[in-house]
Amino acid sequence: DYYGAMKRVPSGEDFDLNLALNGGQIHERHCAQCHVFPEDENVDSALGIPLHAQRADYLRLAFDAYADGFRDTLIPAMDENLALLDDDDIEALIHYYVSYRR
């Protein structure tokens, strides 16, 4: 609750614009139904946490943990969507989420 109540701010990390643009398309196809923007009016009822403005190192750690089986997904649809992504897709998603600047 404490961390959830904090305002999401950009990390200011560098990102590759082309990867971020590609990552935005991947997000829309595979992630946007559950992972909304932090300022979305439905953020409190969204199934997944906002991934926008998360730090790249955290996102890589989380994606690796899912891939290695050390972290369980919330719903079968997340397993299905993750299975469709390759390493390049995941890297593009990370650049997209890091590029968030609101």
Side-chain angles (χ1 to χ4, degrees):
D1 289 335
Y2 172 78
Y3 290 110
M6 297 177 93
K7 183 179 176 179
R8 179 71 48 98
V9 295
S11 67
E13 293 177 80
D14 291 334
F15 63 91
D16 180 290
L17 180 58
N18 289 327
L19 284 175
L21 291 171
N22 187 34
Q25 294 172 356
I26 296 166
H27 171 81
E28 287 303 316
R29 284 194 309 271
H30 298 287
C31 312
Q33 286 185 312
C34 297
H35 296 282
V36 300
F37 286 96
E39 68 276 0
D40 188 287
E41 64 185 33
N42 299 314
V43 70
D44 290 336
S45 61
L47 187 56
I49 64 166
L51 298 175
H52 301 82
Q54 293 282 2
R55 296 194 54 84
D57 52 354
Y58 166 76
L59 291 167
R60 282 190 187 90
L61 181 72
F63 278 119
D64 286 347
Y66 287 123
D68 294 340
F70 294 120
R71 189 171 184 175
D72 294 326
T73 59
L74 296 174
I75 58 173
M78 187 169 170
D79 284 324
E80 294 163 11
N81 279 300
L82 283 171
L84 297 172
L85 303 177
D86 62 23
D87 291 342
D88 291 338
D89 294 332
I90 290 171
E91 191 62 21
L93 279 170
I94 290 169
H95 281 261
Y96 170 66
Y97 296 131
V98 168
S99 74
Y100 175 81
R101 296 289 192 258
R102 288 225 171 153

